[in-house]
Amino acid sequence: MSSMTPAQWVQDELLAGRNTQPALEQASAYAPANIALSKYWGKREKSFNLPITGSLSVSLADHGTQTQLQIIDAPEHQVYLNGELQGADTAFVKKLDTWLGLFMPADTHLRIDTHNTVPTAAGLASSASGFGAMALACNELFGWQLDYTSLSTIARLGSGSASRSLWHGFVKWQAGEADNGHDSVAYVLPERWPKLRVGILTVSSASKAVSSREGMQRTVQTSELFKQWPAQANSDLAIIEQAIMDADFSLLGKTAEHNAMSMHATMIGAWPPLVYWQAESVAAMQQVWTLRQQGVEVYLTMDAGPNLKLLFEEHNTALVKQVFSDLDVIQPFSSAKQNS
Ligand code: ADP
Ligand code: DP6
C-alpha cells in the first residue's frame, strides 16, 4: 500500500509546480478507444489502478470519445453524455467527480460534454477513451503541458485501460513496481501496420451487468484459474511485442486470441461465474474458426462484454465481410491518424 493517496500523489508529485487553477475557460480533446491484444486483467492495487501485468493495445482510430470542458458558475459539475444530462447520483457522474477531485479546486465546476462513438459500457472500451479524452482535455484546460506518458498516469487513475488511450497505433502499458504507480506508464510503440484491420462485431450494445472493474476484482478474489494468468499474460505480452516488430500476423493473431480466451477462462472460473458471452457471441466465434479452417487468417479477441473484435489484414477484408456483413471495419493506421 502506498503511504500517499492518489490525490496527494497527483498534486504533490505529478503536477508539482504546474497550474493548480484552469488557464482557459474551455478546452476539448479526442481520444481513441483501444482494444488490448494482450489484456490487463487483475490489479495489484486498487486505488491507483495498478495492474499485475503489463498490457498492449491497438487504438481504434475514429472510434472513441470527444469531450469538451467549459468552466461554469454552478454548484456542481454538469455532465452530458451523447447530449443527455446525467444525474449527479449516477455511477457515471460519481466516477468523474472522484477523478476530477484528484486535482480540481473544490469551488470550480465544469460543464462536461462527452460523445462516445462506441457504445458505452458494452465491452468496447468506452471507459478507456472516456478518461483518455478527459486527461487530454484537462491538460489543455489547466495548461499543464504534461507529456503523454505522464498524462497516461492520470488517465489510469480514472480507468486502467485509459492509460493506453492517449495515442493512435500500438500502445504498451508497463506494469511498473512502485506503490504510487509513477512507473506504471504507457507509451506508443514506433511500429506501424497499415494493413492491419480490426473488425467490431456488435452482438449487443446494451450496458453490461458487471463492469470490468467489478469483474476483474471478482476474478482475482475467487478464481483458482487466475493463479496461472499472470505468467501467461507476461509471456503473451512479450510474444505480441515481438510479433509486431517482426510484422508476423499469424503470431500476433494467434497469441491475441489465446490471450483473450484464457482471460475469459479465468472469469468462468470465478464465483459467481462471470460469462460475458451471449449465444450469438459463441456462434460468431465458431464462424471465425470455420473461416480460419478454410484458410482465411482471421482471429478474434473479446473484452468484458459479448462483442467480438476480429483481427485480419487488408487483403482478407472482402472474405471476412462475406461472412460478417455487419462488421464495422477499422483501419487503426489510416494515414490521417499518426502516432503522436
Ligand atoms: P466499457 O466496456 O465500455 O469500457 P466499462 O464498464 O469498463 O465499459 O466502463 C464504462 C464506464 O466508463 C462508464 O460507466 C463511465 O464510468 C466510464 N465512461 C464511459 N464513457 C465515458 C466518457 N465519455 N467520459 C467519461 N467516462 C466515461
Ligand atoms: C477486459 O480499464 O475498464 O478491457 O481499471 O477498473 O477501470 P478499471 O478497468 P478497465 O478494464 C479493462 C479490462 C479489459 C482488458 C483491457 O482493456 O486490457
Side-chain angles (χ1 to χ4, degrees):
M1 269 272 282
S2 172
S3 53
M4 284 183 145
T5 63
Q8 284 167 338
W9 182 72
V10 168
Q11 290 166 30
D12 300 348
E13 299 203 9
L14 183 71
L15 300 177
R18 294 177 198 263
N19 295 342
T20 54
Q21 295 288 336
L24 302 173
E25 280 295 306
Q26 55 182 35
S28 65
Y30 172 79
N34 73 77
I35 294 300
L37 301 171
S38 182
K39 310 287 186 192
Y40 148 53
W41 194 244
K43 301 180 196 201
R44 66 170 193 279
E45 207 283 330
K46 264 195 321 193
S47 62
F48 283 84
N49 282 337
L50 296 177
I52 294 174
T53 71
S55 55
L56 195 155
S57 60
V58 61
S59 290
L60 299 184
D62 58 353
H63 287 51
T65 301
Q66 177 77 44
T67 296
Q68 181 164 26
L69 307 178
Q70 191 185 357
I71 310 275
I72 50 167
D73 189 8
E76 57 189 11
H77 302 303
Q78 289 172 10
V79 182
Y80 291 80
L81 169 63
N82 298 333
E84 269 185 46
L85 181 64
Q86 305 293 301
D89 56 345
T90 56
F92 193 96
V93 172
K94 284 187 186 157
K95 232 168 134 183
L96 276 173
D97 271 344
T98 306
W99 184 80
L100 286 166
L102 296 171
F103 53 83
M104 196 82 183
D107 58 354
T108 308
H109 295 103
L110 298 175
R111 178 187 160 113
I112 302 173
D113 258 300
T114 185
H115 290 266
N116 288 340
T117 54
V118 286
T120 304
L124 291 169
S126 68
S127 65
S129 54
F131 281 100
M134 282 300 294
L136 291 169
C138 286
N139 191 41
E140 292 299 312
L141 190 78
F142 281 79
W144 290 329
Q145 300 188 322
L146 281 172
D147 61 78
Y148 277 25
T149 288
S150 305
L151 269 185
S152 76
T153 59
I154 201 163
R156 161 174 49 77
L157 294 173
S159 182
S161 52
S163 66
R164 302 185 309 240
S165 258
L166 304 180
W167 300 264
H168 291 284
F170 293 120
V171 180
K172 182 177 173 184
W173 172 17
Q174 67 184 26
E177 289 173 358
D179 287 347
N180 63 18
H182 72 84
D183 54 355
S184 185
V185 294
Y187 53 89
V188 68
L189 304 186
E191 288 82 9
R192 292 174 54 80
W193 199 320
K195 292 186 173 152
L196 184 69
R197 297 291 179 268
V198 178
I200 307 276
L201 192 64
T202 305
V203 164
S204 164
S205 333
S207 289
K208 54 198 168 195
V210 182
S211 67
S212 312
R213 181 158 301 182
E214 205 183 320
M216 83 172 73
Q217 193 176 339
R218 188 191 300 177
T219 307
V220 174
Q221 285 170 351
T222 66
S223 178
E224 277 294 310
L225 297 180
F226 187 78
K227 291 186 180 148
Q228 59 75 44
W229 167 256
Q232 181 180 346
N234 284 325
S235 148
D236 288 346
L237 176 62
I239 294 171
I240 285 180
E241 254 190 295
Q242 193 60 49
I244 291 171
M245 283 191 276
D246 297 344
D248 182 341
F249 180 69
S250 305
L251 187 61
L252 178 91
K254 194 163 74 181
T255 313
E257 182 172 312
H258 191 201
N259 181 271
M261 296 305 282
S262 304
M263 174 182 75
H264 280 272
T266 70
M267 299 175 184
I268 294 168
W271 193 261
L274 266 173
V275 181
Y276 285 102
W277 302 343
Q278 293 181 5
E280 295 86 341
S281 318
V282 178
M285 285 179 201
Q286 278 158 350
Q287 283 177 297
V288 169
W289 297 326
T290 304
L291 253 179
R292 220 159 57 221
Q293 269 165 9
Q294 292 166 350
V296 182
E297 265 216 290
V298 49
Y299 298 90
L300 66 92
T301 181
M302 291 180 76
D303 292 284
N307 302 309
L308 277 73
K309 295 93 188 191
L310 307 189
L311 303 168
F312 52 97
E313 288 191 295
E314 183 186 17
H315 64 276
N316 278 326
T317 305
L319 287 170
V320 174
K321 283 208 81 161
Q322 253 174 32
V323 175
F324 301 104
S325 53
D326 291 340
L327 197 69
D328 182 5
V329 179
I330 296 168
Q331 301 188 22
F333 295 89
S334 56
S335 54
K337 312 274 182 228
Q338 300 293 333
N339 301 347
S340 32

